[in-house]
Amino acid sequence: MNMKFLKILAASFAAIALLNSCSRDDDDSSVPAISVSAQTLEMTQDGGTATFTVKSNRDWTIVNGVDWLAFEPSSGKASDNAVTVTVTALANASKDRETTIKVSNQFDYKTIFISQSGHGGSSEIGEGTKDSPYNVAKALAIIAAGTYTDADVYVKGKISQLGEFGASFGNYTYYISDDGTATTQLEVYRGYYLGGVKFTASDQIKVGDDVIVKGKLVNYDGKTPEITSGSKLVYLNGQVAEEQTWTDLPNASGEGTEASPYNVAKSLNIIHNGQSSDSEVYVKGKISKLGEFSDQFGNYTYYISDDGKTENELEVFRGYYLKGNKFTSADQLKVGDEVVVLGKLVYYNNQTAEITSGSKIVSLNGETGGSDEPGEENEYSSNIKWTNGTNAYDDNTATVNGVKDVKVYKIGKSDATGTATITIPAGTKKVSYYGVAWKGAATTIVINYNGTEVYSQALAANDGAAKSSPFTITVTDSDHYTFDLTPVVGAGGAPADLTATITTKDGAKPRALFFGMKAEK
């Protein structure tokens, strides 16, 4: 065997080896995956360092959009071993700040929320999302502005105070702030544990815990800024709850109106996407199951679905019969009945999709039981749209001067004022209405338009305005009022549909009832 042949043979083996090596490198058929050891990091005011680890089966890099953070290393090679990344933050002489970084291997990525307190105090930060939660300062500012959240938002803070632990119901009232002190804090009212499960012991959380809470922001009774009942922890001192995701049901339809009711699929999609309805909507379905019938209160809990089966049901909790009348017997409903229900969609305690209490059936197997209103020509019917605000109710009825089933609107409670929004149609020149105050407690109502008070009226107490709906009320001409709109909108009337806010102003018990609200041209 000569030297030339040996050289050719050696070169051939080398080429084959190189080809095999290249083939193995290119033939990585594993699913791209990346993981990080932290979802949130907190940096101190004076700067300093923190660490987290990255494990990825593809080359990875950190995407960082701020100049006050540095990462070492900021990228790495694919490896079966976790790589420790050191985060260095500059000192923060300004207000609190935050950012979200992305650790990406081009096929998959993970996000880490990084915050840093500042010597200048709390600034309002966050978008209310999972990746960018509000801080407490931002949540409080939103509530103070009167902009409550219909959908769930995420709020980040430290537990500053523990309140009532509800052992019977598995909920907990506690308070959070940006710095863990009780100076500027937000109440979390009757919230649930990680993932929305019930609390089982009072020591599952403690003062100083870092949390992210998912829930709705409200100003309860106009006095208490809070995350309202039914919220859940999604983060607790590094523990992250796996959130269940909702896959929208197909064939969802309807607009929620009388002419185009939601079907059950559309209603469930709305609820599970965190969009409870502040105002009443129409929902059509078939009764799939009967629940509790209350002979004492005349209400009924039942379930509806689009096909009458028990899959993808919507609970109708303590609803009323046709026209809002009380049920008188359990056999007034049966499985298979087709109904249209008017009520509000809620996700009760983040556990039960339902039409909440106080709804009414407007159609049962095609029967309506007559008009919901006492008649278009009846002086006690209303043609103005009403939207509930704080301590406002649109599910009351009354017998007025012998006329039954008059729809009555109510604002205020025994110890708190109330607010609602009315929509006045285009062309309206005046609004007339009947208004009475609570028995033995006269009050005053005001109407604001574009942030300015444009109308004020003292309402007389009425003996029939007491206890609960249905009321029996006697009124006279002195209880009938007219609000002339022309000084506000001009002699031509409202140029377009406009909204105004109606509020109880004062009184020993600032409650008022309205009916016969009419827009007139």
Side-chain angles (χ1 to χ4, degrees):
M1 188 176 294
N2 59 38
M3 288 298 294
K4 184 176 181 180
F5 178 76
L6 288 174
K7 289 180 179 178
I8 294 173
L9 187 61
S12 299
F13 281 133
I16 292 170
L18 180 61
L19 286 172
N20 286 340
S21 175
C22 291
S23 177
R24 284 194 297 269
D25 287 345
D26 293 340
D27 189 27
D28 186 352
S29 59
S30 61
V31 177
I34 189 169
S35 64
V36 295
S37 62
Q39 283 74 41
T40 67
L41 291 175
E42 289 189 6
M43 312 304 292
T44 63
Q45 293 176 340
D46 297 324
T49 62
T51 62
F52 64 92
T53 62
V54 180
K55 187 176 180 181
S56 174
N57 62 1
R58 296 290 192 279
D59 293 353
W60 56 270
T61 188
I62 294 174
V63 181
N64 169 36
V66 298
D67 59 6
W68 49 275
L69 291 175
F71 301 87
E72 180 57 40
S74 60
S75 62
K77 294 291 186 181
S79 174
D80 291 333
N81 299 317
V83 177
T84 299
V85 176
T86 299
V87 187
T88 302
L90 298 176
N92 184 13
S94 185
K95 290 185 177 291
D96 298 350
R97 56 192 178 185
E98 64 170 10
T99 189
T100 300
I101 66 165
K102 182 185 291 185
V103 186
S104 171
N105 64 9
Q106 294 188 328
F107 299 94
D108 192 11
Y109 70 90
K110 292 292 184 287
T111 57
I112 301 178
F113 175 79
I114 303 177
S115 61
Q116 184 183 31
S117 57
H119 288 283
S122 295
S123 58
E124 297 168 12
I125 56 179
E127 302 299 325
T129 64
K130 183 177 181 180
D131 290 336
S132 178
Y134 293 138
N135 68 348
V136 173
K138 180 75 171 281
L140 289 171
I142 289 170
I143 295 172
T147 311
Y148 307 163
T149 57
D150 295 331
D152 288 336
V153 296
Y154 295 79
V155 183
K156 182 178 185 294
K158 286 181 179 289
I159 295 180
S160 53
Q161 184 181 339
L162 294 175
E164 180 186 7
F165 168 59
S168 299
F169 300 101
N171 55 38
Y172 216 140
T173 296
Y174 55 97
Y175 300 80
I176 60 175
S177 65
D178 287 321
D179 58 6
T181 71
T183 304
T184 305
Q185 59 186 8
L186 174 66
E187 181 178 16
V188 182
Y189 180 69
R190 294 182 179 174
Y192 290 92
Y193 192 56
L194 277 169
V197 303
K198 292 182 178 181
F199 281 94
T200 57
S202 61
D203 61 0
Q204 286 178 283
I205 54 175
K206 62 184 184 301
V207 171
D209 283 346
D210 291 312
V211 297
I212 297 177
V213 185
K214 183 181 180 182
K216 296 179 176 66
L217 302 177
V218 303
N219 191 9
Y220 181 70
D221 268 355
K223 300 175 182 177
T224 307
E226 68 178 40
I227 299 177
T228 195
S229 60
S231 68
K232 61 183 177 182
L233 287 170
V234 296
Y235 174 89
L236 173 63
N237 295 329
Q239 290 180 269
V240 179
E242 289 294 330
E243 292 195 72
Q244 293 184 346
T245 58
W246 172 259
T247 301
D248 278 351
L249 296 173
N251 304 316
S253 64
E255 301 298 325
T257 63
E258 186 172 10
S260 176
Y262 291 141
N263 66 354
V264 174
K266 179 75 172 280
S267 302
L268 291 172
N269 290 346
I270 288 171
I271 292 170
H272 284 287
N273 286 312
Q275 300 169 327
S276 301
S277 59
D278 282 339
S279 56
E280 293 180 325
V281 296
Y282 292 83
V283 181
K284 183 177 182 180
K286 290 185 177 181
I287 295 180
S288 54
K289 186 168 59 184
L290 295 174
E292 179 187 9
F293 165 68
S294 172
D295 183 51
Q296 179 181 1
F297 297 105
N299 56 41
Y300 215 142
T301 296
Y302 54 97
Y303 300 80
I304 60 175
S305 65
D306 287 325
D307 56 7
K309 298 179 181 179
T310 55
E311 291 183 330
N312 296 321
E313 294 175 309
L314 176 66
E315 180 179 18
V316 182
F317 181 69
R318 294 180 181 174
Y320 290 95
Y321 193 53
L322 285 165
K323 297 173 62 179
N325 292 324
K326 292 182 177 182
F327 282 95
T328 56
S329 66
D331 61 4
Q332 286 177 285
L333 295 180
K334 65 182 184 299
V335 172
D337 282 345
E338 185 175 81
V339 295
V340 177
V341 182
L342 178 63
K344 297 177 182 178
L345 302 176
V346 303
Y347 196 25
Y348 182 70
N349 282 345
N350 277 317
Q351 296 174 341
T352 307
E354 67 177 42
I355 299 177
T356 195
S357 60
S359 68
K360 64 180 178 182
I361 296 174
V362 296
S363 172
L364 174 61
N365 297 323
E367 297 293 327
T368 63
S371 172
D372 286 333
E373 301 290 354
E376 287 299 322
E377 301 303 320
N378 191 287
E379 63 177 314
Y380 305 125
S381 61
S382 300
N383 64 8
I384 290 179
K385 181 182 177 181
W386 170 288
T387 302
N388 290 334
T390 304
N391 301 325
Y393 312 89
D394 57 5
D395 54 357
N396 296 275
T397 60
T399 297
V400 181
N401 290 359
V403 178
K404 295 182 179 180
D405 300 324
V406 174
K407 189 172 183 64
V408 174
Y409 303 89
K410 174 185 171 185
I411 56 174
K413 298 173 64 175
S414 62
D415 59 351
T417 60
T419 301
T421 299
I422 54 175
T423 301
I424 300 170
T428 300
K429 295 181 179 179
K430 64 180 180 178
V431 175
S432 61
Y433 66 96
Y434 282 90
V436 299
W438 209 247
K439 180 179 181 180
T443 192
T444 298
I445 59 115
V446 297
I447 294 179
N448 286 275
Y449 174 61
N450 281 345
T452 302
E453 182 178 317
V454 295
Y455 177 78
S456 176
Q457 178 63 55
L459 301 181
N462 190 290
D463 288 346
K467 297 183 179 180
S468 59
S469 172
F471 305 101
T472 300
I473 298 174
T474 300
V475 292
T476 65
D477 288 344
S478 63
D479 298 306
H480 190 253
Y481 304 95
T482 299
F483 169 32
D484 184 2
L485 271 177
T486 56
V488 180
V489 298
D497 289 359
L498 59 87
T499 58
T501 303
I502 183 168
T503 308
T504 45
K505 186 175 182 180
D506 53 27
K509 294 182 178 181
R511 285 182 282 194
L513 302 181
F514 304 91
F515 44 91
M517 293 187 295
K518 287 184 170 60
E520 302 178 28
K521 297 183 179 181

